[in-house]
Amino acid sequence: SIKTDLENHWILQSTTTNCSYITSYTMKFALLLSAVLASSASAFVVSPNAGARSTGSRLFESEDEEESSSYVGAKDISALTQGVKTVFSSEDIDKILPHRYPFALVDKVIEYEAGKRAVGIKTVTKNEPHFNGHFPDRPIMPGVMQVEALAQLAGIICLQMEGAEPGSVFFFAGVDGVKWKKPVIPGDVVVMEVEIKKWRAKFGIAKATGRAYVDGQLAVEVKEMTFALAK
């Protein structure tokens, strides 16, 4: 009976020891497996910071590419006006108008319908004397000179009509409905257009309308200009 009890006690102790050993081994294996799996998974996880750096890099590359692709160059920009033909050059205008520096305000004429209308160009530069006082810190082409430039363009038409002769002097007799829409500054290219509405050769009286644009935007418009040839 005592022997049987001892044998049973040894079997129970042995079983308990084996179970404890197996449990300990299982726990260690589970921990090791978890560590391996975690290490493997991290190889496929992208760091948030790394993603941000990658996105930022692509963003700057995109901006650089866009800036590079928007660059046109002098040749292509110059080609934009290759279809614009000069009808009257500056030298031609000097043979028609009596105006001279610093009051010659039409550089060339690029469209012309005899006795009707014309399109002319005035290139504004900071070397023009009126910018010294109008204004020293903010140069703006005086509005009256913009109207004068339109009047000179109209004069190129009128002085080639019946009853007038090139080189004749004509005066402003009236201006009505003038509106200035935007400042004209050095560097602007003013594209002017005038249309003759009336011409009375007997009295030397002309009426015209005019408007001028800078970069496609209306800068000044005149509802009516009246001129009188000097007698």
Side-chain angles (χ1 to χ4, degrees), residues 206-229:
K207 292 185 180 292
T209 62
R211 53 179 57 87
Y213 301 84
V214 174
D215 296 329
Q217 297 183 6
L218 184 64
V220 59
E221 61 179 343
V222 182
K223 184 178 179 180
E224 184 178 84
M225 297 179 284
T226 304
F227 312 103
L229 282 174

Side-chain angles (χ1 to χ4, degrees), residues 104-221:
L105 301 178
V106 182
D107 295 328
K108 63 181 178 179
V109 174
I110 57 175
E111 284 192 331
Y112 177 76
E113 289 186 27
K116 294 182 179 180
R117 55 191 175 185
V119 175
I121 301 295
K122 162 62 181 169
T123 303
V124 183
T125 76
K126 65 180 181 181
N127 295 320
E128 297 174 44
H130 49 260
F131 287 128
N132 290 328
H134 196 279
F135 300 97
D137 296 326
R138 189 180 180 184
I140 297 176
M141 183 178 182
V144 293
M145 296 196 71
Q146 297 174 34
V147 176
E148 171 65 23
L150 289 168
Q152 291 184 19
L153 182 59
I156 293 174
I157 303 172
C158 293
L159 293 181
Q160 298 184 85
M161 296 173 68
E162 182 183 355
E165 293 184 6
S168 298
V169 176
F170 62 98
F171 304 119
F172 251 132
V175 182
D176 185 46
V178 182
K179 293 182 180 180
W180 288 275
K181 300 294 186 178
K182 68 186 301 291
V184 176
I185 61 176
D188 285 344
V189 176
V190 184
V191 182
M192 306 175 289
E193 182 175 20
V194 296
E195 183 177 355
I196 305 302
K197 294 296 187 179
K198 291 182 181 180
W199 168 243
R200 296 182 180 180
K202 181 178 180 180
F203 301 102
I205 302 294
K207 292 185 180 292
T209 62
R211 53 179 57 87
Y213 301 84
V214 174
D215 296 329
Q217 297 183 6
L218 184 64
V220 59
E221 61 179 343

Side-chain angles (χ1 to χ4, degrees), residues 40-55:
S40 300
S42 65
F44 298 95
V45 176
V46 179
S47 169
N49 293 332
R53 288 195 297 271
S54 176
T55 302

